[in-house]
Amino acid sequence: MRTWTTAVFGILLTLAFAACGSSGATSAPASEGPASAASEAPAASNGTGAAACEVVQEVGTVQAKAAGFAFSPDPITISVGDAITWTNGDSAPHTVTLDDGSCDTGQFGQGETGTIRFNVAGTYAYHCAVHPNMKGTIVVE
Ligand SMILES: [Cu+2]
């Protein structure tokens, strides 16, 4: 009985490995097709190859403030390609979170900054995720 069980386990293990091996071998080339097609789709969607906005670590070309529990200046008008750096003047942490959820600096504390670059013209409404009544508008021309 023991040897029979061992034999069955052996066969099952062999089948399992064989199944993994064959499915891995056949699915690897197939998965490259959809993956590359999917990675091209976002680039084609806005025609620029870049996201409408992106959180960056560099110092922005336009300076703004999150201070006194308000964003200033507001609205901010910038050109396509500009990056806005907000500096926190309060002891509480703030965020710059686009209302559509496309970009979010995450929390930055007193004296710290958050920067977002805008690559597509349009009007962007944003708020602070910590203090939802802190709101602002960015106009990208
Ligand atoms: Cu805040």
Side-chain angles (χ1 to χ4, degrees):
M1 188 63 180
R2 183 176 297 170
T3 55
W4 181 86
T5 308
T6 304
V8 169
F9 269 111
I11 291 167
L12 288 175
L13 281 173
T14 302
L15 289 173
F17 275 110
C20 284
S22 62
S23 67
T26 55
S27 67
S31 66
E32 285 178 22
S36 61
S39 66
E40 288 170 18
S45 63
N46 63 24
T48 66
C53 63
E54 54 186 332
V55 177
V56 295
Q57 300 303 316
E58 65 207 66
V59 177
T61 47
V62 176
Q63 300 302 309
K65 291 180 180 176
F69 295 90
F71 293 112
S72 64
D74 181 56
I76 305 174
T77 300
I78 63 171
S79 300
V80 170
D82 276 339
I84 304 173
T85 293
W86 287 266
T87 300
N88 185 350
D90 294 326
S91 56
H94 295 306
T95 77
V96 174
T97 303
L98 296 200
D99 287 3
D100 66 6
S102 58
C103 278
D104 184 346
T105 61
Q107 293 187 18
F108 51 98
Q110 187 169 36
E112 297 179 332
T113 62
T115 303
I116 299 177
R117 172 178 288 119
F118 293 86
N119 301 309
V120 176
T123 300
Y124 299 79
Y126 66 99
H127 63 277
C128 171
V130 183
H131 314 100
N133 56 344
M134 290 178 64
K135 296 177 181 178
T137 301
I138 301 151
V139 179
V140 183
E141 297 180 329

